[in-house]
Short mmCIF file of all heavy atoms in Angstrom, two decimals:
data_model
loop_
_atom_site.label_atom_id
_atom_site.label_comp_id
_atom_site.label_asym_id
_atom_site.label_seq_id
_atom_site.Cartn_x
_atom_site.Cartn_y
_atom_site.Cartn_z
N GLY A 24 0.22 -3.93 6.28
CA GLY A 24 1.25 -4.94 6.08
C GLY A 24 2.43 -4.46 5.26
O GLY A 24 3.33 -5.24 4.95
N ILE A 25 2.43 -3.17 4.91
CA ILE A 25 3.52 -2.60 4.11
C ILE A 25 4.46 -1.83 5.03
O ILE A 25 4.04 -0.93 5.76
CB ILE A 25 2.97 -1.65 3.02
CG1 ILE A 25 1.98 -2.39 2.11
CG2 ILE A 25 4.11 -1.04 2.21
CD1 ILE A 25 1.24 -1.48 1.15
N ASN A 26 5.73 -2.19 5.02
CA ASN A 26 6.72 -1.50 5.83
C ASN A 26 7.24 -0.28 5.07
O ASN A 26 7.50 -0.35 3.87
CB ASN A 26 7.88 -2.43 6.18
CG ASN A 26 7.44 -3.60 7.04
OD1 ASN A 26 6.62 -3.43 7.94
ND2 ASN A 26 7.98 -4.79 6.78
N PHE A 27 7.40 0.83 5.78
CA PHE A 27 7.87 2.06 5.14
C PHE A 27 8.54 2.95 6.18
O PHE A 27 8.44 2.71 7.39
CB PHE A 27 6.70 2.82 4.48
CG PHE A 27 5.68 3.35 5.46
CD1 PHE A 27 5.67 4.70 5.81
CD2 PHE A 27 4.74 2.50 6.05
CE1 PHE A 27 4.75 5.19 6.71
CE2 PHE A 27 3.81 3.00 6.95
CZ PHE A 27 3.81 4.34 7.28
N THR A 28 9.25 3.97 5.70
CA THR A 28 9.89 4.93 6.59
C THR A 28 8.91 6.06 6.87
O THR A 28 8.46 6.75 5.95
CB THR A 28 11.18 5.50 5.96
OG1 THR A 28 12.07 4.43 5.67
CG2 THR A 28 11.86 6.48 6.91
N ALA A 29 8.57 6.26 8.13
CA ALA A 29 7.51 7.18 8.51
C ALA A 29 7.94 8.64 8.35
O ALA A 29 9.14 8.96 8.36
CB ALA A 29 7.09 6.92 9.96
N TYR A 30 6.93 9.49 8.20
CA TYR A 30 7.15 10.94 8.14
C TYR A 30 6.05 11.60 8.93
O TYR A 30 4.86 11.36 8.69
CB TYR A 30 7.13 11.44 6.70
CG TYR A 30 7.33 12.93 6.56
CD1 TYR A 30 8.58 13.50 6.67
CD2 TYR A 30 6.24 13.77 6.32
CE1 TYR A 30 8.77 14.88 6.54
CE2 TYR A 30 6.41 15.14 6.19
CZ TYR A 30 7.67 15.68 6.31
OH TYR A 30 7.84 17.04 6.19
N ASN A 31 6.40 12.43 9.90
CA ASN A 31 5.41 13.13 10.71
C ASN A 31 4.97 14.41 9.99
O ASN A 31 5.80 15.21 9.58
CB ASN A 31 5.99 13.48 12.08
CG ASN A 31 4.93 14.01 13.02
OD1 ASN A 31 4.52 15.16 12.93
ND2 ASN A 31 4.46 13.16 13.92
N PHE A 32 3.67 14.58 9.84
CA PHE A 32 3.14 15.66 9.00
C PHE A 32 3.07 17.02 9.69
O PHE A 32 2.79 18.02 9.02
CB PHE A 32 1.74 15.28 8.51
CG PHE A 32 1.72 14.11 7.57
CD1 PHE A 32 1.59 12.82 8.05
CD2 PHE A 32 1.82 14.31 6.21
CE1 PHE A 32 1.57 11.74 7.17
CE2 PHE A 32 1.80 13.24 5.32
CZ PHE A 32 1.67 11.95 5.81
N SER A 33 3.25 17.09 11.00
CA SER A 33 3.04 18.35 11.71
C SER A 33 3.97 19.45 11.16
O SER A 33 5.16 19.24 10.99
CB SER A 33 3.30 18.18 13.22
OG SER A 33 4.64 17.83 13.46
N GLY A 34 3.38 20.60 10.87
CA GLY A 34 4.15 21.73 10.38
C GLY A 34 4.57 21.63 8.92
O GLY A 34 5.22 22.54 8.40
N SER A 35 4.21 20.56 8.23
CA SER A 35 4.67 20.36 6.85
C SER A 35 3.65 20.94 5.87
O SER A 35 2.51 21.20 6.21
CB SER A 35 4.86 18.87 6.56
OG SER A 35 3.62 18.19 6.59
N PHE A 36 4.08 21.13 4.61
CA PHE A 36 3.14 21.61 3.60
C PHE A 36 3.24 20.83 2.30
O PHE A 36 2.27 20.74 1.56
CB PHE A 36 3.36 23.11 3.33
CG PHE A 36 4.61 23.45 2.58
CD1 PHE A 36 4.59 23.59 1.21
CD2 PHE A 36 5.81 23.64 3.24
CE1 PHE A 36 5.75 23.92 0.50
CE2 PHE A 36 6.96 23.96 2.55
CZ PHE A 36 6.94 24.11 1.18
N ILE A 37 4.38 20.24 2.00
CA ILE A 37 4.54 19.54 0.72
C ILE A 37 3.67 18.29 0.62
O ILE A 37 2.96 18.10 -0.38
CB ILE A 37 6.02 19.20 0.46
CG1 ILE A 37 6.84 20.49 0.36
CG2 ILE A 37 6.18 18.37 -0.81
CD1 ILE A 37 8.34 20.26 0.22
N PRO A 38 3.66 17.40 1.63
CA PRO A 38 2.86 16.17 1.49
C PRO A 38 1.37 16.43 1.28
O PRO A 38 0.75 15.78 0.43
CB PRO A 38 3.11 15.44 2.81
CG PRO A 38 4.42 15.93 3.29
CD PRO A 38 4.46 17.37 2.87
N ILE A 39 0.80 17.37 2.02
CA ILE A 39 -0.65 17.59 1.89
C ILE A 39 -0.98 18.22 0.53
O ILE A 39 -2.02 17.91 -0.06
CB ILE A 39 -1.18 18.46 3.06
CG1 ILE A 39 -2.71 18.40 3.10
CG2 ILE A 39 -0.72 19.90 2.94
CD1 ILE A 39 -3.27 17.04 3.42
N LEU A 40 -0.09 19.06 0.00
CA LEU A 40 -0.34 19.62 -1.33
C LEU A 40 -0.29 18.53 -2.39
O LEU A 40 -1.11 18.51 -3.31
CB LEU A 40 0.67 20.72 -1.64
CG LEU A 40 0.63 21.98 -0.76
CD1 LEU A 40 1.61 23.02 -1.28
CD2 LEU A 40 -0.78 22.56 -0.73
N LEU A 41 0.67 17.63 -2.27
CA LEU A 41 0.75 16.50 -3.21
C LEU A 41 -0.50 15.63 -3.12
O LEU A 41 -1.06 15.21 -4.14
CB LEU A 41 1.99 15.66 -2.92
CG LEU A 41 3.35 16.26 -3.29
CD1 LEU A 41 4.48 15.37 -2.77
CD2 LEU A 41 3.47 16.42 -4.79
N SER A 42 -0.93 15.35 -1.89
CA SER A 42 -2.09 14.49 -1.68
C SER A 42 -3.36 15.09 -2.28
O SER A 42 -4.10 14.43 -3.01
CB SER A 42 -2.30 14.24 -0.19
OG SER A 42 -1.21 13.57 0.39
N VAL A 43 -3.61 16.36 -1.97
CA VAL A 43 -4.84 17.00 -2.45
C VAL A 43 -4.80 17.19 -3.96
O VAL A 43 -5.82 17.03 -4.65
CB VAL A 43 -5.05 18.36 -1.73
CG1 VAL A 43 -6.27 19.08 -2.30
CG2 VAL A 43 -5.22 18.15 -0.24
N PHE A 44 -3.62 17.51 -4.50
CA PHE A 44 -3.47 17.64 -5.95
C PHE A 44 -3.87 16.34 -6.66
O PHE A 44 -4.67 16.35 -7.61
CB PHE A 44 -2.03 18.01 -6.29
CG PHE A 44 -1.72 18.00 -7.76
CD1 PHE A 44 -2.22 18.99 -8.60
CD2 PHE A 44 -0.93 17.00 -8.31
CE1 PHE A 44 -1.94 18.98 -9.96
CE2 PHE A 44 -0.65 16.98 -9.66
CZ PHE A 44 -1.15 17.97 -10.50
N CYS A 45 -3.32 15.23 -6.20
CA CYS A 45 -3.63 13.94 -6.83
C CYS A 45 -5.08 13.53 -6.57
O CYS A 45 -5.75 12.98 -7.46
CB CYS A 45 -2.68 12.86 -6.32
SG CYS A 45 -0.97 13.11 -6.82
N MET A 46 -5.57 13.80 -5.37
CA MET A 46 -6.95 13.45 -5.05
C MET A 46 -7.94 14.22 -5.90
O MET A 46 -9.02 13.72 -6.24
CB MET A 46 -7.22 13.70 -3.56
CG MET A 46 -8.57 13.17 -3.09
SD MET A 46 -8.89 13.46 -1.33
CE MET A 46 -9.25 15.22 -1.36
N SER A 47 -7.58 15.45 -6.30
CA SER A 47 -8.49 16.25 -7.12
C SER A 47 -8.75 15.57 -8.46
O SER A 47 -9.87 15.58 -8.97
CB SER A 47 -7.92 17.65 -7.33
OG SER A 47 -6.76 17.65 -8.13
#
């Protein structure tokens, strides 16, 4: 139910590093 501006992750590296860093 939250509207946001989408970002496609293919070929990217910054979002997954941020995600895993915080998840750790």
Side-chain angles (χ1 to χ4, degrees):
I25 302 171
N26 296 321
F27 66 102
T28 302
Y30 179 78
N31 189 282
F32 293 90
S33 63
S35 66
F36 71 94
I37 297 175
I39 194 65
L40 295 185
L41 288 173
S42 297
V43 176
F44 172 72
C45 293
M46 189 180 74
S47 68

